Amino acid sequence: MLPRPPACCPAVKRHLFQPSDSIWVSDEVLRHAFQRFVNSRSGKRYGSFVPGPLESRRRLGKRRMAHLTESVPAPAHNTGPLWGFFGEVGNAQWQWEAPTTRKSTGASTAALPAWLLEWDTSPEVVPESAVVAGSMNKPTEETIAIEEDISKFRTTLLAASSDQLLDICEEFNQLYKQSLRLGLVSGITMHSALNTISRDIRLAFSESGLADTHCLLSFYQAFWDGVSSCKVLQPVDLDARLLNRFLSYLGNLPSCTEVQTLFHDVMHAASVTQLGKMNRGVDRLVEAWARSWLHEQPPGDPRLSFLGASRDLSESLDRVDRLQSLMHSREDDDRQDLSMIQKAVEEAKAILDSALEHIVQAEKALVPRNGSIETLASILGYLPRDHLYRVLASCTQNIVRIHNSMENPVTDLYYGWLSLVAKVPKLPHKMFVNIVKRMGKCKGVREQPLPGAVVLSRWISQGYLGKGGALIRNTCEVSSLNSGPLDLGLVLSAIDKHREKVFRQTKGIFKLLHNLERYREVFGILAQIQDLGLKLPKDIIGPTIEIMSKYDLQLAYRIQKMFYTGLRTNKQVLRPDLNPNFIVSMVNHRRFSPQQIWRVMGIPFYEKMQPSKRLAFSTRRLSPAMIELVTKVAIAFAQTDARCQRVAFRNVVQCLHHLRRHNAPLTPELTRAISHAGFTRKIVAGEWISKELLDWVLGLIEVAEGTDVAVITDKAVTYWNEQLAEEQDEEARLKAREMNVLHVGPID
């Protein structure tokens, strides 16, 4: 089998014209650019299509020969295959050789045959050791020319009058942008020009008394336009320090729409590696952006958005009329296909969504701050998670400092920053909670409740509300017009109206408020839900009271009472075994009487019942969780210091009566609680243990723990009574001796 013809054969036979602006890109530059591309987007590589060394050399040779042949322009007439000049030559006589290193020559660097040199119109080829201008920081003729242009511009700028400044800057911006587009500016020159020209423009305009913002912004825009449209290098190939300095200079300008758009373009074009090294510039721009919210921004022109919304609404009316006609025809003919009706419904929904989007755009034009917050949130979404949290934490600290430094701080900056953090996509819950806690250090905002608009924006940005987020937001805004500021209760009410998983979002709100330690707001939300007539599932109230009891027991008890009276769900009452720590906390608190505790648990007070009813067995069996809860309550009463021994023992016996009435087994834990409340606490207090109490408790111990434990307990109590009797006799004799002043009577 004959070998494959060399790659130069079909290349020579093609009639290709040499483009006038072609640039030789060496293999070293290609390799460097490919490695930068691979490493810029991800730090991991799970596979590779890079060829081996032999295949790489073969491909390199093919590319080199194709380049040599493409540098030859096609003649005016068709000369036919050039291989005919060599006579009849078979394919087997050709042999491929590996390419060698290109060597630079004085006159011509293109290794062409002598009979092709007269047609050579290609530019001088750069040696392979050289790199495209701009990729490496070596001075070339083009770089020197650009530096001369920059030096000439600086000299002219400083010597020009105020009337000539704008024209000079505009002319240089066009020249500089064209040089950047062609890749003629090195990285060092870019960095130097960014520093020196920015300083000179400020100096020239300050001396003339003119504003330099427009000229600086035009220069920065020209720089970025040239870099982004460069034919040699892309923004991901630039040094991250250069982009960081560029963002720092942008942060010195007033935060306007042009600056914000330029910031968005830079962040969108930068790689992950570059973004990780641009923290300082990003911090300055974000802080300047947030400062702009303190000033009133002029509204935009919403007429175009309103026109689009009006057009969509008119079209939606036609869609609804068509849908109604389809429904009427469906009633007349049941065999009609439902797919047409479903398609009409989807079209009507799409038109309404488009109209709503136009209305939102009009709102952003009327209230520029809302659009500014959303734009900045989308920009911060480009940052990696660790760098995003670092930027947000640093800027949050600066925002708090700015807010507290004001003599009469306003809440615009506070609410604006919270809205921004809530709208950042894919922000973890822990980061959001931490930032909200830090914002709580602002003066005058700690007492204010968490804004409902912030929580709603957080849910919409994270996708918790699905496609109905925009409709829910509109419903909340309409409700707030009549009832005042939007709070969390109105948010839950709007979610419930749209059937968007209100129970899950209620749990999310309670979890968020728990992390923020805003427990009183939970009670306010529950009270508002009661007023709105909403129903809550039992798996929300129980955990809420359980968590609340660790921080504010009285507030948890108020929620408990409110749940029993007004917030019943599916006609069920609260199960006490869902919040055992709450019950135990009430036992250990002097504020709550035993009657309140048993009322919360739903257990009657057996001491006030008739003996016949007290000893009667109930047909309803207790669940294992309820038996465990009653046992825990008995142990808590036995060990608590908030109750005296007598009250504690009576409530432990109350637990015993409840378990006996429902035919629950007598456990060793319960008998230990009884012995602790009846024996141990009396012994600690130095009191006598009666025979009746001893016999009654020993009977319970023998049933639950065995005869051996009962015998040991009996011996211990008997020994205590004997020791106590001896001590009392001794004290009586000593007292009698002290009272016998005349020492009359029998001798001891």
Side-chain angles (χ1 to χ4, degrees):
M1 182 176 179
L2 296 177
R4 185 178 180 180
C8 61
C9 297
V12 173
K13 293 178 182 179
R14 292 197 307 264
H15 302 288
L16 302 176
F17 293 91
Q18 173 72 14
S20 59
D21 59 344
S22 63
I23 300 176
W24 168 256
V25 181
S26 65
D27 299 317
E28 181 66 21
V29 174
L30 290 176
R31 183 194 65 78
H32 178 70
F34 179 75
Q35 293 295 329
R36 292 290 301 272
F37 172 77
V38 170
N39 297 328
S40 63
R41 296 298 177 187
S42 175
K44 299 182 180 179
R45 291 183 57 196
Y46 298 96
S48 175
F49 293 96
V50 179
L54 297 179
E55 179 67 15
S56 178
R57 290 175 64 86
R58 188 181 73 83
R59 294 183 184 182
L60 184 63
K62 290 173 61 178
R63 185 165 63 252
R64 183 65 53 78
M65 288 184 286
H67 169 71
L68 293 179
T69 56
E70 288 177 356
S71 64
V72 181
H77 58 278
N78 187 7
T79 59
L82 298 179
W83 300 108
F85 294 145
F86 300 103
E88 297 294 332
V89 180
N91 290 335
Q93 300 181 18
W94 292 94
Q95 183 178 1
W96 177 86
E97 294 182 1
T100 58
T101 304
R102 181 184 296 273
K103 297 181 180 180
S104 176
T105 58
S108 176
T109 57
L112 297 178
W115 54 276
L116 290 177
L117 290 177
E118 60 183 19
W119 289 323
D120 185 15
T121 60
S122 60
E124 183 179 357
V125 180
V126 182
E128 187 174 0
S129 59
V131 187
V132 179
S135 61
M136 299 295 288
N137 295 323
K138 295 181 179 180
T140 60
E141 295 182 0
E142 293 83 358
T143 305
I144 295 175
I146 293 299
E147 292 178 353
E148 292 177 354
D149 292 339
I150 294 175
S151 178
K152 180 180 178 181
F153 165 72
R154 295 178 59 193
T155 304
T156 306
L157 181 68
L158 296 177
S161 62
S162 59
D163 299 336
Q164 300 173 343
L165 290 178
L166 294 178
D167 296 335
I168 294 174
C169 292
E170 184 65 25
E171 182 181 357
F172 174 76
N173 290 340
Q174 297 298 326
L175 176 63
Y176 190 54
K177 180 170 64 175
Q178 183 65 18
S179 301
L180 290 171
R181 181 180 291 118
L182 296 177
L184 303 178
V185 185
S186 65
I188 294 179
T189 305
M190 291 182 194
H191 201 280
S192 175
L194 198 62
N195 295 332
T196 56
I197 293 178
S198 299
R199 183 176 63 251
D200 291 343
I201 289 177
R202 291 185 182 277
L203 180 61
F205 277 81
S206 64
E207 293 178 353
S208 61
L210 300 177
D212 57 359
T213 302
H214 175 72
C215 190
L216 283 173
L217 183 58
S218 300
F219 170 65
Y220 297 149
Q221 187 67 52
F223 168 77
W224 181 251
D225 290 343
V227 169
S228 59
S229 60
C230 181
K231 298 182 178 180
V232 180
L233 298 177
Q234 296 298 319
V236 294
D237 300 321
L238 297 178
D239 189 0
R241 293 174 295 180
L242 176 62
L243 294 179
N244 187 36
R245 179 60 62 89
F246 179 59
L247 293 184
S248 299
Y249 282 125
L250 280 181
N252 295 330
L253 298 178
S255 183
C256 57
T257 304
E258 293 78 8
V259 173
Q260 296 172 2
T261 303
L262 192 55
F263 181 33
H264 178 273
D265 295 341
V266 174
M267 296 292 290
H268 180 68
S271 65
V272 176
T273 305
Q274 290 173 327
L275 291 174
K277 300 178 181 179
M278 295 160 53
N279 294 332
R280 188 173 181 179
V282 173
D283 289 352
R284 180 171 296 183
L285 258 173
V286 171
E287 183 178 344
W289 199 324
R291 283 177 179 268
S292 65
W293 301 335
L294 293 173
H295 308 286
E296 189 69 23
Q297 300 179 5
D301 187 5
R303 288 178 294 180
L304 186 61
S305 300
F306 281 138
L307 182 62
S310 177
R311 183 174 57 251
D312 291 338
L313 289 175
S314 300
E315 186 176 354
S316 65
L317 291 177
D318 298 336
R319 301 281 182 173
V320 172
D321 293 339
R322 181 173 178 271
L323 180 59
Q324 289 179 350
S325 62
L326 289 175
M327 295 298 295
H328 289 312
S329 59
R330 170 70 178 174
E331 293 176 357
D332 299 336
D333 186 9
D334 297 340
R335 295 174 297 177
Q336 184 179 357
D337 190 9
L338 288 175
S339 60
M340 297 181 61
I341 298 178
Q342 294 176 354
K343 183 178 179 181
V345 171
E346 294 297 330
E347 291 176 353
K349 290 171 60 178
I351 295 297
L352 290 174
D353 290 341
S354 177
L356 182 61
E357 184 63 27
H358 281 103
I359 294 175
V360 172
Q361 295 299 327
E363 180 189 7
K364 292 180 181 178
L366 291 174
V367 188
R369 195 181 74 165
N370 294 343
S372 175
I373 291 174
E374 290 191 7
T375 304
L376 182 55
S378 63
I379 293 175
L380 293 178
Y382 295 129
L383 292 173
R385 177 174 295 185
D386 51 345
H387 298 293
L388 172 63
Y389 182 67
R390 198 212 62 78
V391 169
L392 289 179
S394 175
C395 293
T396 300
Q397 184 177 359
N398 294 333
I399 294 297
V400 173
R401 177 178 51 80
I402 295 171
H403 179 90
N404 295 334
S405 63
M406 300 179 183
E407 295 182 0
N408 297 318
V410 293
T411 58
D412 293 343
L413 187 60
Y414 170 76
Y415 286 123
W417 187 254
L418 285 184
S419 300
L420 168 70
V421 175
K423 292 180 180 180
V424 174
K426 298 180 181 179
L427 181 67
H429 178 76
K430 186 176 181 181
M431 292 185 184
F432 176 73
V433 171
N434 195 354
I435 292 174
V436 175
K437 283 185 177 180
R438 294 189 178 190
M439 290 299 296
K441 298 178 181 178
C442 294
K443 294 189 300 185
V445 300
R446 181 62 182 174
E447 297 78 12
Q448 300 181 5
L450 186 65
V454 172
V455 177
L456 181 60
S457 300
R458 165 76 179 169
W459 288 345
I460 294 176
S461 65
Q462 306 304 315
Y464 295 158
L465 300 180
K467 297 181 179 179
L471 293 175
I472 294 174
R473 182 186 58 191
N474 292 340
T475 304
C476 292
E477 291 176 353
V478 172
S479 301
S480 63
L481 294 177
N482 301 324
S483 59
L486 182 62
D487 54 17
L488 298 176
L490 290 177
V491 172
L492 292 177
S493 177
I495 294 175
D496 181 68
K497 290 179 181 179
H498 291 274
R499 308 299 180 188
E500 287 287 348
K501 304 176 182 178
V502 63
F503 291 162
R504 187 178 68 178
Q505 305 309 328
T506 305
K507 292 180 181 178
I509 285 183
F510 288 169
K511 179 182 178 182
L512 174 62
L513 295 177
H514 164 63
N515 294 333
L516 296 176
E517 299 179 359
R518 294 172 175 255
Y519 304 107
R520 293 194 174 275
E521 295 185 30
V522 175
F523 177 78
I525 294 173
L526 290 175
Q528 190 171 11
I529 289 176
Q530 183 183 20
D531 297 337
L532 295 173
L534 299 180
K535 294 183 179 180
L536 290 179
K538 56 186 179 181
D539 59 343
I540 290 182
I541 291 295
T544 301
I545 295 176
E546 189 79 353
I547 295 174
M548 186 85 62
S549 62
K550 300 178 181 178
Y551 304 95
D552 196 331
L553 184 59
Q554 296 186 11
L555 200 60
Y557 178 69
R558 293 176 63 185
I559 296 176
Q560 175 82 15
K561 290 180 61 178
M562 183 171 56
F563 178 80
Y564 268 109
T565 56
L567 294 180
R568 303 200 180 200
T569 305
N570 298 327
K571 297 182 180 180
Q572 294 182 3
V573 296
L574 180 68
R575 291 171 47 190
D577 55 303
L578 293 179
N579 43 14
N581 292 330
F582 169 63
I583 303 296
V584 173
S585 300
M586 292 181 66
V587 172
N588 295 322
H589 200 287
R590 298 179 183 273
R591 166 70 172 72
F592 302 99
S593 64
Q595 288 79 6
Q596 290 177 311
I597 297 173
W598 299 117
R599 192 179 302 114
V600 168
M601 296 181 64
I603 298 176
F605 203 61
Y606 291 100
E607 184 177 344
K608 297 182 179 181
M609 294 177 62
Q610 298 179 1
S612 59
K613 294 183 179 180
R614 186 191 312 166
L615 300 177
F617 289 97
S618 175
T619 57
R620 184 173 60 89
R621 297 296 182 124
L622 294 178
S623 63
M626 191 62 186
I627 294 175
E628 182 180 359
L629 174 62
V630 175
T631 306
K632 285 184 177 180
V633 171
I635 297 174
F637 268 114
Q639 297 178 351
T640 182
D641 296 332
R643 318 285 173 178
C644 64
Q645 185 272 332
R646 182 170 176 271
V647 174
F649 183 74
R650 289 169 61 185
N651 284 276
V652 172
V653 175
Q654 164 82 2
C655 297
L656 175 64
H657 283 313
H658 185 68
L659 294 176
R660 274 185 169 181
R661 188 183 185 191
H662 293 82
N663 201 17
L666 185 62
T667 60
E669 290 81 6
L670 184 60
T671 56
R672 291 178 191 140
I674 294 174
S675 62
H676 184 84
F679 298 157
T680 307
R681 295 188 63 167
K682 280 200 169 189
I683 293 174
V684 172
E687 298 179 0
W688 178 270
I689 300 175
S690 64
K691 181 64 175 177
E692 294 78 6
L693 176 61
L694 177 61
D695 295 339
W696 181 73
V697 175
L698 288 178
L700 298 176
I701 294 176
E702 186 175 4
V703 173
E705 303 182 61
T707 306
D708 296 339
V709 177
V711 171
I712 295 174
T713 305
D714 184 22
K715 291 181 179 179
V717 173
T718 303
Y719 177 77
W720 163 253
N721 286 336
E722 293 176 355
Q723 292 294 324
L724 184 60
E726 292 180 0
E727 291 179 1
Q728 291 178 353
D729 294 341
E730 183 66 23
E731 290 179 359
R733 287 195 298 269
L734 292 176
K735 187 176 181 180
R737 182 179 298 176
E738 292 176 357
M739 294 177 63
N740 190 6
V741 181
L742 300 177
H743 300 284
V744 179
I747 301 175
D748 296 336

